[in-house]
Amino acid sequence: MPHGYNGRILHLDLSTGNKRVEEPGELFYRRYFGGRNLIAYYLLKNLKPKIDPLGPENLLIFAAGLITGAPIAGSGRNSVGGKSPLTEGYGEAEAGGFWGAELRKAGYDALIIRGRAQRPSYIWIDDQQVEVRDASHLWGQLTAPVQEAIQEELGDPLIRVAQIGPAGERLVRFACVVNDLHHFAGRTGMGAVMGSKNLKAIAVRGRRKPSVADPKGLRSLAQWLAKNHMDLTGGLHKDGTAGGVEYLNKKGGLPTHNFQAGSFAAAEEIAGSTMTETILVGRKGCHACAIRCKRRVATSKGPFIVDPTYGGPEYETIAALGSNCGVSDLAAIAKGNELCAAYGLDTISTGCAIALAMECYEKGLLTSKDTDGLELAFGNGSAMVEMVGRIARREGLGDRLAEGVKRAAERIGSGAEEYALHVKGQEIPMHEPRWKQGLGVGYALSSTGADHCHNLHDSIYTKENRALREIRALGILRPLPVDDLSPAKVRLYHYVSTWRLLLNSLGLCLFLPYDYHQVRDLVNAVTGWNTSLWELLKAGERGRVLARAFNAREGRTAEDDRLPRRFFSPLGTDTPALEGVAIEEERFKEALITYYRMAGWDPATGIPTRERLEELDIGWVAEELAQWGKLP
């Protein structure tokens, strides 16, 4: 009997209703693990190049990680992937909560959906029983009523629901998939892919206890975390991910006014500590996790009445809807967050789209006629909240912004492209690359477009601390300046980002304080394998290269690994800590070439070489690339 995985992958064709269960063996799981790696494998194996990401031929894949559902903190994550309607390339996002663990308990490691239902539908997985049910009565509804209706209809409040809101139904290109109302597979537009399939939700109930190889060893790790988590992650519990707002502001790393500045005068008013002291009404967590970093907020007075049903804003949301839009009203930000959760929108892309529109409005590229009379100026919290709804409903200017900043700027014209901050079509997360310059390299190299999760945050490794002591297990021995772009920084980026990609294939949360050896021990305790840090890093690299190969087949090359011009221009006096600081373009280009060579990618095209593919034990990818004339 396998441990840590079920050995069962459910395939479902919504066009025909056909279902089948694939049963890969242990070697498949040892090579691909799960999560991101499994998604990239099936996309390469099953999709032809240049398909319409909103067409029925696209796949929508929900994949548990190798340890998803194990009885230990951090194991509550799953991945969602397909070809992205936002970037036209590899698409993938992760979500926490309980849904992925429930899929595992139902006996499946992944759900692969193809085709398109003739009418609005939802999938009901009740252990081994799988059914496609009518969702016409749910279409058009917000996420909270839908979850409640499904649980009531099926007669079980313990059912876990992954779903889309009206934004996904309307094919907003950055619509997300919502788990358990508070957890979001936010990036790359997987909610739009789900909507294109007429699929409203996936309800799961599982009763199978996960099997682990070494319960005693796993219990020992769980006890260590229970004893130490408040010392190591207490701030995350207290103030959530927004706890760093004031620190980032002080350093010049808080995106403000569409990344025109890195400091926000009203940062204290939107900080995590302010949220804790004012509108916080509760905390929630994920499967088996005691840290409980999720927020629940509420307001009952003023222009913005906020419903705690939809949780509360994370750091990315506070910066995207707050400082980057110049909004200092915490209640407005919380309301914007509620609407994004209810409609099913990625808050990062939503905030960036509104910030683009605000800059265009202030520069005269958009007028009150374009905004239907809305004063879309930086700092207008009411306008920000209104635009969230308009984007989700594709009303007026919101219809243009729903296409993402790249397409929206092209439609606005008159030079608006200069203010559209994205990589490969995906909006920039809320971390300033003129401060963390290795992060900027990571934005450019990411196969999903700009991403902050599978990336390097340079500021963590600038001095002797716990993070630097731990990464010595990977051979990183000395701190580096935050703005360094030397080969040593490129190497640091390579190792850190590869490890973070590994965590996406494991289904392990980034915020858990396990060190590298503890992650290895966790994998061995769950699976019974004899894995090592070397094998784990190679698994992370395999996922990176599979996604890169998918993009190469779609026509992506090294030319697509670039940053918006804004980041090569210096910050001004409104960012005192970084006044005059910019990324030096030549150093940036040199860092990219260094990375290609270091990673075994062709320096001219940025495509992995046959030798690197063989070294990673995925030589079949070389034949796939050669078939389409993409092998270096």
Side-chain angles (χ1 to χ4, degrees):
M1 177 181 177
H3 299 292
Y5 58 92
N6 294 303
R8 292 168 55 84
I9 295 174
L10 176 62
H11 295 256
L12 176 58
D13 190 326
L14 290 172
S15 295
T16 64
N18 291 338
K19 302 184 286 285
R20 68 180 177 90
V21 175
E22 179 186 3
E23 298 185 352
E26 181 181 9
L27 293 183
F28 174 86
Y29 287 94
R30 186 126 190 193
R31 183 175 290 119
Y32 299 107
F33 284 27
R36 174 193 177 91
N37 291 23
L38 189 148
I39 287 169
Y41 170 85
Y42 280 101
L43 291 181
L44 269 172
K45 283 284 189 180
N46 289 276
L47 293 188
K48 293 181 179 179
K50 306 297 184 181
I51 66 150
D52 179 1
L54 296 176
E57 60 269 38
N58 197 4
L59 298 181
L60 179 65
I61 304 175
F62 290 77
L66 185 64
I67 65 167
T68 299
I72 190 165
S75 64
R77 297 185 71 76
N78 66 274
S79 301
V80 186
K83 184 176 178 180
S84 169
L86 186 63
T87 70
E88 302 280 343
Y90 176 75
E92 171 224 335
E94 276 68 42
F98 301 84
W99 190 91
E102 201 72 20
L103 183 69
R104 264 277 162 73
K105 289 195 288 183
Y108 301 107
D109 301 313
L111 168 62
I112 301 178
I113 303 164
R114 66 193 72 218
R116 183 179 189 271
Q118 291 186 350
R119 60 184 180 182
S121 303
Y122 75 89
I123 298 169
W124 167 221
I125 301 173
D126 185 11
D127 285 323
Q128 302 297 300
Q129 301 299 313
V130 180
E131 180 183 355
V132 179
R133 299 174 66 107
D134 180 40
S136 299
H137 59 301
L138 304 174
W139 205 252
Q141 292 196 39
L142 303 179
T143 55
V146 167
Q147 177 168 291
E148 182 179 358
I150 288 175
Q151 291 172 337
E152 183 175 341
E153 183 175 308
L154 299 175
D156 189 344
L158 297 179
I159 287 168
R160 301 296 179 180
V161 179
Q163 61 169 306
I164 58 170
E169 297 170 12
R170 290 177 171 85
L171 308 184
V172 174
R173 289 185 185 268
F174 46 84
C176 65
V177 177
V178 183
N179 292 0
D180 312 309
L181 298 185
H182 302 151
H183 307 273
F184 309 91
R187 312 240 63 200
T188 72
M190 291 301 104
V193 176
M194 194 164 166
S196 75
K197 296 184 177 301
N198 257 345
L199 181 61
K200 180 65 172 175
I202 306 167
V204 182
R205 182 72 165 94
R207 300 166 184 84
R208 175 177 175 172
K209 186 177 180 180
S211 172
V212 299
D214 181 9
K216 184 178 179 181
L218 198 62
R219 190 159 51 248
S220 176
L221 280 169
Q223 290 170 346
W224 173 86
L225 186 71
K227 180 180 178 181
N228 293 286
H229 78 86
M230 286 305 294
D231 288 338
L232 299 174
T233 61
L236 194 59
H237 172 76
K238 180 179 180 293
D239 294 327
T241 56
V245 166
E246 290 175 286
Y247 169 77
L248 292 173
N249 189 63
K250 179 181 177 181
K251 293 292 186 179
L254 182 64
T256 300
H257 293 178
N258 200 28
F259 282 90
Q260 294 181 82
S263 296
F264 185 45
E268 186 178 348
E269 297 175 36
I270 63 173
S273 57
T274 302
M275 181 164 59
T276 300
E277 294 164 4
T278 56
I279 62 174
L280 184 73
V281 297
R283 296 175 173 88
K284 294 182 73 71
C286 298
H287 167 79
C289 190
I291 293 175
R292 298 175 67 81
C293 66
K294 303 295 287 186
R295 310 289 92 182
R296 291 183 73 242
V297 303
T299 61
S300 57
K301 298 179 181 179
F304 306 110
I305 307 302
V306 179
D307 183 354
T309 301
Y310 291 102
E314 303 277 359
Y315 163 72
E316 297 293 329
T317 307
I318 282 180
L321 301 180
S323 59
N324 208 38
C325 290
V327 174
S328 59
D329 186 340
L330 189 56
I333 296 168
K335 188 64 180 181
N337 176 79
E338 176 196 319
L339 293 177
C340 285
Y343 282 112
L345 287 170
D346 171 32
T347 59
I348 296 173
S349 290
T350 300
C352 285
I354 296 171
L356 164 68
M358 286 178 166
E359 185 166 1
C360 289
Y361 185 81
E362 292 206 339
K363 286 182 165 61
L365 279 63
L366 291 173
T367 68
S368 59
K369 182 180 179 181
D370 298 301
T371 67
D372 294 317
L374 190 66
E375 187 183 352
L376 200 55
F378 285 118
N380 189 337
S382 296
M384 178 274 289
V385 171
E386 175 63 24
M387 283 309 304
V388 172
R390 292 188 189 183
I391 289 170
R393 297 185 298 269
R394 282 187 173 270
E395 295 174 354
L397 178 61
D399 184 47
R400 274 191 267 178
L401 298 181
E403 293 291 294
V405 299
K406 179 178 183 293
R407 293 175 178 85
E410 290 168 354
R411 288 183 60 184
I412 293 169
S414 303
E417 293 89 345
E418 180 183 345
Y419 316 129
L421 304 184
H422 67 89
V423 171
K424 301 180 178 74
Q426 176 156 267
E427 291 75 17
I428 303 287
M430 297 296 106
H431 302 271
E432 173 57 72
R434 283 168 288 194
W435 176 39
K436 306 175 187 178
Q437 298 199 5
L439 174 92
V441 172
Y443 281 161
L445 289 168
S446 171
S447 293
T448 58
D451 188 277
H452 63 292
C453 289
H454 52 256
N455 208 336
L456 168 69
H457 290 268
D458 309 53
S459 56
I460 297 174
Y461 302 99
T462 59
K463 60 184 178 181
E464 292 290 337
N465 55 22
R466 182 171 180 263
L468 191 65
R469 289 193 297 272
E470 288 179 356
I471 204 172
R472 286 186 174 128
L474 303 184
I476 302 295
L477 303 180
R478 60 188 177 90
L480 291 169
V482 72
D483 60 349
D484 178 73
L485 281 181
S486 69
K489 176 61 74 67
V490 174
R491 177 172 175 260
L492 174 64
Y493 160 75
H494 183 43
Y495 287 13
V496 169
S497 61
T498 299
W499 187 262
R500 284 174 167 244
L501 290 168
L502 162 75
L503 298 183
N504 286 350
S505 68
L506 293 177
L508 184 61
C509 178
L510 296 173
F511 293 125
L512 271 294
Y514 305 120
D515 66 26
Y516 296 89
H517 292 104
Q518 286 173 316
V519 172
R520 175 205 60 199
D521 294 344
L522 172 55
V523 174
N524 284 332
V526 170
T527 63
W529 296 347
N530 61 337
T531 195
S532 63
L533 295 186
W534 171 261
E535 184 183 16
L536 294 178
L537 274 173
K538 284 297 168 183
E541 187 177 359
R542 199 170 291 125
R544 183 200 300 275
V545 168
L546 286 168
R548 187 80 180 186
F550 181 88
N551 280 354
R553 210 179 56 170
E554 295 297 319
R556 297 279 194 188
T557 69
E559 291 299 313
D560 297 293
D561 296 338
R562 57 179 182 264
L563 284 177
R565 296 299 312 167
R566 173 154 288 172
F567 298 126
F568 301 108
S569 299
L571 288 158
T573 56
D574 48 4
T575 309
L578 294 178
E579 183 181 350
V581 173
I583 298 173
E584 293 180 25
E585 191 165 6
E586 288 308 311
R587 291 175 68 224
F588 173 78
K589 291 178 178 178
E590 289 171 6
L592 290 180
I593 296 296
T594 299
Y595 184 82
Y596 298 150
R597 295 185 185 280
M598 201 176 280
W601 301 357
D602 177 55
T605 64
I607 297 174
T609 63
R610 178 184 292 274
E611 292 78 10
R612 180 48 50 118
L613 294 167
E614 293 288 358
E615 191 268 339
L616 291 170
D617 196 22
I618 48 174
W620 63 269
V621 177
E623 303 310 318
E624 178 68 28
L625 291 176
Q627 176 184 350
W628 301 100
K630 301 297 183 181
L631 188 68

